[in-house]
Amino acid sequence: MSASQTATSLFEPFAQGKLKLDSRIVMAPMTRGFSPNGVPGPNVAGYYRRRAENNVGLIITEGTVINHPAAAADRDVPHFYGEAALEGWARVVREVHEAGGKIAPQIWHVGTARQRDKFPESDAAPIGPSGLGLTGEQVSEPLTKEEIRGLVAGYAQAAADAKRIGFDGVEIHGAHGYLIDQFFWENTNKRDDEYGGDLVGRTRFAVEVIEAVRAAVGPDFPIIFRFSQWKPVDYNAKLAPTPEALERFLAPLSAAGVDIFHCSTRRFWEPEFEGSDLNLAGWTKKLTGKPTITVGSVGLDSEFTSLFAEGKGADNVGLDALVERLERGEFDLVAVGRALLNDPSWASKIREGRAEELRAFTREALGSLS
């Protein structure tokens, strides 16, 4: 396989406002947990730099937690607040920019996914719109409106800091059963005020977050929003079961100020709705007119969930079907996860037609920052 034969379009430039990328390949956000006490060190900077040196157009960092006592699920997940953590992220930005890359942090709050036993020294309780865990158990009291306002401000401050220290954009994590997604999902949002109700009503918290982030960073700083239909406890869950429902869901988010939607699926090749071959990114682009990022087992022969369910690795597969979809305009950017985690040179090898040098993904890759 050579880039001239199959993958040329992956290495075409992309521009959205002030965000100008040299390739369509995005490093997907992947939690690594190598930032002791929330502070990313030189090893984290080197990890991201190696991808920037190898034809990744945009790096989206692992999830970084906003300034809230219950934001994190693990003590070694990086913070996006505090002098030491922000100095660490400023080093990451310098390294990536020196290598010619672009980078955006993913800002995050885990909501009721916080596990108290991982923080024995902290009494911060998990939080959520109705205080419900993903399987319906009551883990805390519902959030008050004052608490919601504080959370919105926390996202806005993180985004302002991202711009101040030189990042090229920011991604808001609204997927995978974490805090923002807990507002979206009817199973975890039972509120009867303006933050609950129907699907559109349940977007209000996210809309306020996006609007506050936009106000904090100004009109030209790129905002990416990641969402998913699936949840960790239900891979078949759908916030929006039809294209019409998806349009209602996306419209307020788009109007609030999202520039690019990052549409999380387990397998990029699967149609989102019956009667169309479009995947979630394809439908999102069609319905909003905004650029989209597709993601889900790119370049590998099994989805990431098998890693946890069965402890399996994954072999490399060709990219012809992916490239065909990209070339017909179904989506604009392609996020690559485990293949890039395992091999920092993955994109360069694809571009240079060195498929025989690609490494198979193994679980052991999670144990270090290669």
Side-chain angles (χ1 to χ4, degrees):
M1 177 173 61
S2 70
S4 61
Q5 293 173 321
T6 64
T8 303
S9 56
L10 287 170
F11 300 96
E12 292 177 351
F14 170 83
Q16 168 66 20
K18 288 193 172 182
L19 183 65
K20 294 179 171 53
L21 308 179
D22 292 334
S23 87
R24 303 297 180 107
I25 295 175
V26 175
M27 182 176 183
M30 292 172 284
T31 299
R32 303 308 315 277
F34 286 91
S35 297
N37 298 312
V39 178
N43 60 331
V44 175
Y47 166 75
Y48 288 118
R49 178 176 184 137
R50 286 187 287 277
R51 278 76 186 167
E53 290 172 335
N54 280 282
N55 292 290
V56 173
L58 174 66
I59 291 166
I60 301 176
T61 74
E62 62 206 285
T64 72
V65 296
I66 65 170
N67 189 4
H68 184 272
D74 189 290
R75 70 179 66 250
D76 294 332
V77 163
H79 298 168
F80 211 81
Y81 62 90
E83 184 177 354
L86 292 177
E87 284 180 359
W89 283 118
R91 181 191 301 116
V92 171
V93 171
R94 289 194 300 271
E95 294 273 356
V96 167
H97 286 172
E98 285 174 6
K102 300 291 176 65
I103 186 168
Q106 185 189 71
I107 55 175
W108 186 31
H109 192 302
V110 303
T112 56
R114 177 179 171 87
Q115 299 176 40
R116 291 176 190 252
D117 60 349
K118 292 192 175 182
F119 299 90
E121 75 290 350
S122 170
D123 60 359
I127 63 165
S130 300
L132 299 174
L134 294 185
T135 55
E137 73 281 14
Q138 194 78 41
V139 298
S140 62
E141 293 299 312
L143 284 164
T144 67
K145 292 183 183 180
E146 182 179 1
E147 288 172 327
I148 288 173
R149 287 192 291 271
L151 289 161
V152 170
Y155 281 98
Q157 184 60 58
D161 286 334
K163 182 178 181 181
R164 177 177 58 81
I165 63 180
F167 279 91
D168 301 290
V170 64
E171 175 167 285
I172 300 167
H173 196 344
H176 306 162
Y178 296 117
L179 180 62
I180 292 175
D181 197 23
Q182 288 163 18
F183 275 87
F184 290 153
W185 199 28
E186 62 184 351
N187 291 28
T188 46
N189 184 349
K190 305 295 186 181
R191 300 177 72 97
D192 58 8
D193 62 7
E194 63 267 36
Y195 294 98
D198 65 8
L199 181 57
V200 173
R202 298 195 302 270
T203 68
R204 175 155 183 163
F205 175 66
V207 165
E208 290 186 1
V209 168
I210 296 162
E211 290 176 341
V213 166
R214 176 57 71 206
V217 300
D220 300 324
F221 194 71
I223 297 175
I224 306 166
F225 189 86
R226 195 178 212 208
F227 76 100
S228 67
Q229 299 257 44
W230 65 269
K231 315 299 164 210
V233 296
D234 184 358
Y235 293 131
N236 296 314
K238 285 191 182 292
L239 295 173
T242 65
E244 293 76 20
L246 184 62
E247 185 171 27
R248 292 195 301 273
F249 169 72
L250 293 170
L253 306 177
S254 182
V258 173
D259 294 301
I260 300 171
F261 283 99
H262 189 174
C263 310
S264 180
T265 57
R266 294 192 298 150
R267 309 175 185 96
F268 77 85
W269 57 87
E270 291 187 340
E272 191 59 32
F273 304 113
E274 289 185 9
S276 168
D277 290 335
L278 292 177
N279 68 8
L280 184 60
W283 272 108
T284 299
K285 181 176 181 178
K286 178 178 180 177
L287 295 171
T288 67
K290 300 285 181 75
T292 60
I293 305 171
T294 197
V295 69
S297 306
V298 172
L300 299 177
D301 67 354
S302 66
E303 72 273 8
F304 70 93
T305 52
S306 66
L307 175 65
F308 303 101
E310 305 165 31
K312 291 170 53 179
D315 291 323
N316 296 290
V317 295
L319 301 175
D320 291 9
L322 174 78
V323 169
E324 181 182 345
R325 287 170 174 258
L326 178 64
E327 289 179 346
R328 67 177 183 238
E330 184 172 342
F331 38 76
D332 303 272
L333 298 164
V334 175
V336 181
R338 289 169 298 150
L340 265 176
L341 182 154
N342 188 57
D343 188 349
S345 302
W346 183 88
S348 289
K349 291 174 181 177
I350 294 297
R351 183 170 191 171
E352 295 161 11
R354 296 187 286 136
E356 70 282 356
E357 298 179 24
L358 294 172
R359 303 177 192 168
F361 176 82
T362 65
R363 190 182 181 92
E364 287 69 35
L366 301 177
S368 65
L369 291 178
S370 62

